[in-house]
Amino acid sequence: MNNPVFSPTSGSRLDTITKTLSSAASLVSIFTFGILPILFLPGVFVSLGYAKVFVVTVGICLSLVLYAFVFLSEGVMNFRPTIGLLTIWGLALAGIVGAALSGDLYDSFIGNSFSSQTAAFLLVMAMAATVSAAIGTKKANAVKLYVMFSISALILGLFHLVRLLFGPEVLSFGIFGSATASPLGGWNNLALFFGLVIIIALIAIEQLPLSKMGKILFFAVSVVALTMLAVVNFFTVWLILGFISLAVLMFTITKKRLSRTPQLMADNNSQTGIGVALALVVFIVCVLFIVGGSVIGGIVSNATDISFVEVRPTTSTTLDIARSVFGENMFTGIGANKFGDAWNLYKDGSINGTEFWGTTFQSGSNYIFTSVVENGILGVVAWLVFLGWFLYTGLRYVFSNTVNDPMWNFVVTSSFVAALYLWFTGFIYVPGTTILLLAAICTGVFFGAQHVASNKKVLQISVLDNRKLSFLLVGGVMVVIVGSISVLYFLGQHFASIHNFNQAVNELSTGGDIETAEIKIANAYSQFKNDLFARELASYQLAKMNALASVEEPTQTQQQQFQAAMVDGINAARLAVAEDGTDPNNWLVLGNLYAFMAGLNVEGARELAEEAYASMRKYSPNNPQVAMLEAELAFISGDNEKAREKVVEALQMKQNYTNAIDFLVRLEISEGNLDEAVSATVASINLDPNNPARHYQLGILLAEAESHEEAVAAFSEALLLNPSYANALYFRAVALLQLGENDSAVADLETARDLSEDNANLQEIIDAINAGQVDITNQGDSAALDDGQVIEDGNTVSVSGEPGTDLVSTVNTVPEEN
């Protein structure tokens, strides 16, 4: 009898209500898991990953409540004891213990986006595996889940093909604005998913007695998946698929000579032909991209106008971070979801010379190593126990299988291989929430199906004849029901707070009223105390103070508004620090508020700002921005000697720190040392002629001395050494305008604009120059960012080309330019 891991039954026929509840419990989980790859919530201001986890958690809790009601109705439960499920719950336990001891329970347990590294997400994975095991113990339910997955994969593939053909504005739903945006979540995760689709198709064609239409459907889906893999061009996925397709190809060709497990194959020539053809096509495509991935990738990139290169810290860099963390806390690590904190504390200072100097990587080279940093030895043991038992159970089934039912064999084998593939991706990448949830779902299906297929013992627990047991089990069921409802309430509050906060920020960025935004953010904070909300409120108050301080003759009302903004800003910043004193951004905002007050000669403000910046330095010791902030604080306080000391410290940490160079030039000018500064900079160039920042510094000094031709020459030298130096382009354009070379100036500004697409002001300046209506001699603040195109989107960091440092590595194959 095929019963779930915990399914109600009785000796008599189930009544209509019980049947309905039982079917509803299965269908809710099957539907929720089945649509996971294409699930998104339009019009909701939360991250896509969070939306998926939220819906999945709701589906799991509803299923558990329905199962609990069925048990209360029947009073009998068939329970299949599965050690594998206990091991995956061990992962969740390790994460919860680490979060509890991290000193930052909020970020470690759930964070702002329910990310894949939080303890709460590990708990959801364990719940998903448990409910999936119930699905796996019924053949019909397992087939329904596979059908749902197949439909989702087909829809997802067609969705992206349509957008490739007609542009990213098609089917954007107001969410997927770029060509690399996906309902799955993450461009490289798309490659992992379609790799999974191809693997399941290879197994299905090899093991199932499919109809002709079924074979054609699997072949067509595989072609769509290969097309998407070519567009994404994830090198490691090509390696894995190449190996698997070669193994399937060899086995399919020689299977007639294998006699040990003939029942596993649908022994007909057409099936074998389709299997060989598909495996051969997959293998050839994999080889082509493995051998010539950059060349072919360049062709595909040009054809689709898609170029996406994700970067991660290298394995050696991640292990260096782990060693530093283990030196402080070996047993539980730094805490779940706190790799970013570890990066700020222990990153290699040499990365400050690259475009990643201000990037806080939220994960390491892969998911497993990130977990090691975050959860320490406890996490390592939990992963070893889980993966060890999973591999032992799966391989034992594969090599000793005597199941004659092709469908059961397919369910067990495919779920094991799928889960194995997905968990393996955790060793080569940091998969998103969708991929990890799919891994947990496939694992649960495997454990449940393997238990049934192997005819393992079923324990029946009845409360009908034992009152003491009845009291305990009914109490346990009530705990499940109340616990599920409590989880939904807690998660609903958190979801609503994040939604309201992001909605307020979005409205403000599109021209909304700051007062209204503050009220919404304050309401979000009342729903869920979050240091992010308090920090944002403090930032808005600082913006108000800046605006009011610029008023030459403020009214009494404006003075009162300024005082109120100052008090509210300090209170909000202190709240942020109280909620999370380990986040350097909270200390940054508090320090900036006090620094602004110091500039207005508020007594004691400078000392408080210094204390805040010192705390920021404690949690981000290799960040040159701290020294730069301290230099600016000293300067506005009239302490030029300390300002010089601090700006030199910042430049020692980051030699190409443009803000520090500009500040140093400003300092020299304020002290009347312009000529001496030029001479000193020329001397430093003679010692280090290949440093573009030194040439840039010389150009700024010469421009201040109104030696515009020499300034152009200096900026040109900087650009020869670093063609992407956008600030050098901008200030060369300023100097060229002084020389009357407007066309050349516009060309420089257009290049700078392309390097810094977020700086809309550059296009306005270009338009004004072309119309003959602008003088940008005093537009220094409009300079573009000079550190390259580093894009941070949640847990993903992407760049436009090779990273240029050994501390980080690319995930995708970087396409060659044609």
Side-chain angles (χ1 to χ4, degrees):
M1 185 167 57
N2 299 330
N3 294 310
V5 174
F6 43 86
S7 67
T9 185
S10 66
S12 61
R13 172 181 261 174
L14 294 174
D15 58 34
T16 303
I17 295 178
T18 303
K19 282 184 177 180
T20 303
L21 289 173
S22 182
S23 298
S26 298
L27 289 175
V28 166
S29 55
I30 290 170
F31 179 78
T32 304
F33 296 155
I35 66 169
L36 178 59
I38 58 173
L39 174 65
F40 66 92
L41 300 177
V44 177
F45 292 92
V46 298
S47 68
L48 179 63
Y50 189 175
K52 287 177 178 289
V53 179
F54 176 79
V55 173
V56 166
T57 306
V58 170
I60 290 172
C61 289
L62 288 177
S63 295
L64 290 175
V65 169
L66 289 170
Y67 278 129
F69 280 132
V70 176
F71 171 72
L72 289 176
S73 172
E74 290 302 308
V76 179
M77 176 188 294
N78 281 352
F79 182 74
R80 297 182 181 274
T82 306
I83 296 176
L85 291 179
L86 295 179
T87 63
I88 200 169
W89 277 95
L91 293 176
L93 180 61
I96 292 171
V97 171
L101 299 177
S102 68
D104 185 7
L105 183 60
Y106 173 80
D107 281 342
S108 282
F109 185 74
I110 193 169
N112 294 322
S113 59
F114 215 145
S115 73
S116 61
Q117 289 151 218
T118 58
F121 181 78
L122 293 173
L123 185 61
V124 172
M125 280 207 308
M127 294 168 64
T130 303
V131 173
S132 299
I135 295 173
T137 54
K138 282 190 175 182
K139 190 191 303 183
N141 285 342
V143 171
K144 290 176 185 176
L145 183 60
Y146 272 98
V147 170
M148 286 297 301
F149 277 148
S150 301
I151 294 172
S152 293
L154 188 58
I155 292 174
L156 187 64
L158 293 175
F159 171 86
H160 282 287
L161 287 178
V162 169
R163 283 163 60 83
L164 285 174
L165 292 173
F166 300 104
E169 64 280 359
V170 178
L171 301 177
S172 65
F173 299 105
I175 299 176
F176 312 111
S178 68
T180 55
S182 171
L184 185 81
W187 190 239
N188 285 313
N189 284 281
L190 200 64
L192 298 178
F193 176 74
F194 281 116
L196 172 66
V197 169
I198 293 173
I199 290 171
I200 291 178
L202 289 170
I203 296 173
I205 290 177
E206 183 59 33
Q207 292 192 347
L208 293 179
L210 298 170
S211 65
K212 184 177 181 180
M213 183 57 67
K215 301 168 197 172
I216 294 173
L217 179 62
F218 273 112
F219 197 95
V221 170
S222 298
V223 171
V224 172
L226 277 174
T227 303
M228 291 308 306
L229 283 175
V231 175
V232 179
N233 201 9
F234 193 160
F235 180 76
T236 309
V237 175
W238 290 124
L239 284 176
I240 297 171
L241 276 182
F243 174 79
I244 292 175
S245 60
L246 178 61
V248 171
L249 181 63
M250 294 173 62
F251 184 69
T252 304
I253 293 174
T254 61
K255 70 178 181 179
K256 289 187 176 181
R257 289 185 278 127
L258 301 176
S259 57
R260 287 188 298 172
T261 57
Q263 70 275 16
L264 300 184
M265 305 300 167
D267 205 5
N268 63 72
N269 291 332
S270 63
Q271 186 97 343
T272 301
I274 290 286
V276 169
L278 179 58
L280 185 60
V281 168
V282 172
F283 178 69
I284 291 173
V285 174
C286 289
V287 170
L288 288 174
F289 275 89
I290 291 171
V291 174
S294 60
V295 176
I296 301 175
I299 297 172
V300 174
S301 178
N302 290 332
T304 60
D305 197 25
I306 294 177
S307 179
F308 181 84
V309 181
E310 184 179 350
V311 295
R312 298 273 179 192
T314 61
T315 299
S316 61
T317 302
T318 305
L319 293 178
D320 286 341
I321 298 288
R323 279 188 285 269
S324 298
V325 169
F326 276 33
E328 298 289 331
N329 191 343
M330 180 179 295
F331 182 65
T332 57
I334 196 168
N337 198 39
K338 290 177 68 66
F339 184 91
D341 288 8
W343 178 264
N344 286 330
L345 282 168
Y346 306 117
K347 70 177 182 180
D348 191 322
S350 65
I351 203 168
N352 286 330
T354 73
E355 64 262 49
F356 304 103
W357 73 276
T359 302
T360 299
F361 286 95
Q362 299 298 331
S363 56
S365 58
N366 59 63
Y367 186 78
I368 303 299
F369 285 1
T370 301
S371 178
V372 169
V373 171
E374 294 178 338
N375 299 311
I377 296 297
L378 184 62
V380 172
V381 171
W383 277 106
L384 287 176
V385 170
F386 163 65
L387 292 175
W389 185 260
F390 171 71
L391 284 171
Y392 167 74
T393 306
L395 294 176
R396 185 179 63 176
Y397 175 86
V398 169
F399 289 111
S400 62
N401 175 41
T402 57
V403 178
N404 292 319
D405 188 324
M407 181 55 72
W408 266 126
N409 185 66
F410 168 72
V411 171
V412 178
T413 304
S414 61
S415 60
F416 170 67
V417 174
L420 180 61
Y421 163 76
L422 293 173
W423 290 124
F424 179 74
T425 63
F427 286 95
I428 61 172
Y429 184 58
V430 183
T433 53
T434 303
I435 297 298
L436 290 169
L437 284 172
L438 288 175
I441 292 167
C442 291
T443 301
V445 170
F446 164 70
F447 282 133
Q450 181 267 340
H451 199 280
V452 174
S454 301
N455 293 317
K456 298 287 184 67
K457 184 178 179 181
V458 179
L459 299 180
Q460 188 175 79
I461 302 174
S462 173
V463 299
L464 300 177
D465 303 319
N466 189 322
R467 291 193 174 185
K468 291 182 178 180
L469 182 62
S470 172
F471 178 78
L472 290 174
L473 289 181
V474 171
V477 169
M478 292 304 296
V479 168
V480 170
I481 294 174
V482 174
S484 297
I485 295 173
S486 300
V487 166
L488 292 179
Y489 175 79
F490 170 85
L491 191 56
Q493 287 289 101
H494 186 266
F495 185 92
S497 68
I498 297 295
H499 165 77
N500 292 336
F501 170 77
N502 290 336
Q503 184 182 39
V505 173
N506 180 74
E507 289 175 356
L508 189 60
S509 66
T510 55
D513 179 56
I514 189 170
E515 303 290 344
T516 304
E518 285 180 345
I519 293 172
K520 288 185 177 180
I521 293 174
N523 290 336
Y525 185 84
S526 66
Q527 288 177 302
F528 218 99
K529 289 181 171 54
N530 186 336
D531 63 292
L532 173 63
F533 303 165
R535 184 170 72 237
E536 195 71 16
L537 285 173
S539 298
Y540 290 158
Q541 299 302 330
L542 180 57
K544 277 186 185 178
M545 291 165 66
N546 270 297
L548 291 168
S550 64
V551 178
E552 293 185 3
E553 297 181 4
T555 63
Q556 185 176 0
T557 300
Q558 288 173 325
Q559 292 176 9
Q560 292 173 348
Q561 290 174 341
F562 181 88
Q563 290 293 329
M566 182 172 65
V567 172
D568 292 344
I570 294 297
N571 288 338
R574 285 176 174 171
L575 273 177
V577 168
E579 293 293 338
D580 184 5
T582 66
D583 191 334
N585 292 313
N586 292 335
W587 291 108
L588 169 64
V589 172
L590 182 61
N592 287 346
L593 280 161
Y594 283 130
F596 184 83
M597 293 163 59
L600 300 176
N601 298 318
V602 177
E603 186 177 353
R606 177 180 176 181
E607 291 74 16
L608 291 171
E610 288 175 341
E611 291 177 8
Y613 290 148
S615 296
M616 180 183 176
R617 183 188 294 273
K618 177 182 177 182
Y619 297 106
S620 188
N622 294 319
N623 188 352
Q625 183 186 16
V626 182
M628 187 65 235
L629 290 167
E630 291 172 332
E632 291 174 341
L633 176 63
F635 182 70
I636 63 176
S637 302
D639 190 348
N640 286 10
E641 183 178 349
K642 186 170 183 179
R644 187 183 302 278
E645 173 191 333
K646 289 297 182 180
V647 76
V648 169
E649 179 186 344
L651 286 169
Q652 287 173 342
M653 299 176 70
K654 178 176 171 57
Q655 292 184 358
N656 60 348
Y657 196 179
T658 301
N659 287 345
I661 293 171
D662 293 342
F663 177 83
L664 186 58
V665 170
R666 192 155 36 102
L667 184 61
E668 298 290 2
I669 294 170
S670 71
E671 295 182 342
N673 298 331
L674 187 56
D675 292 338
E676 293 86 346
V678 170
S679 300
T681 305
V682 170
S684 67
I685 289 174
N686 291 333
L687 292 173
D688 187 12
N690 294 321
N691 187 342
R694 294 300 182 192
H695 293 281
Y696 169 79
Q697 180 179 356
L698 178 60
I700 293 291
L701 289 166
L702 292 169
E704 288 292 337
E706 297 188 359
S707 300
H708 299 298
E709 289 186 2
E710 294 178 352
V712 169
F715 290 132
S716 298
E717 287 294 327
L719 289 164
L720 283 174
L721 296 168
N722 180 9
S724 298
Y725 206 152
N727 269 301
L729 283 162
Y730 177 84
F731 283 107
R732 187 171 71 173
V734 174
L736 287 168
L737 283 173
Q738 295 297 324
L739 297 172
E741 300 181 27
N742 289 20
D743 291 342
S744 298
V746 168
D748 277 353
L749 290 171
E750 288 176 341
T751 304
R753 176 203 61 197
D754 294 339
L755 289 170
S756 302
E757 296 176 357
D758 292 336
N759 196 331
N761 193 36
L762 286 176
Q763 185 58 53
E764 294 176 6
I765 294 172
I766 292 169
D767 294 339
I769 294 172
N770 289 331
Q773 299 173 350
V774 72
D775 174 9
I776 66 169
T777 55
N778 295 314
Q779 292 283 337
D781 292 338
S782 299
L785 298 174
D786 65 312
D787 285 313
Q789 285 290 304
V790 179
I791 301 171
E792 295 183 62
D793 182 13
N795 200 33
T796 301
V797 178
S798 59
V799 294
S800 56
E802 291 286 357
T805 172
D806 293 335
L807 297 175
V808 300
S809 58
T810 60
V811 174
N812 311 79
T813 302
V814 181
E816 289 187 2
E817 295 183 2
N818 295 327

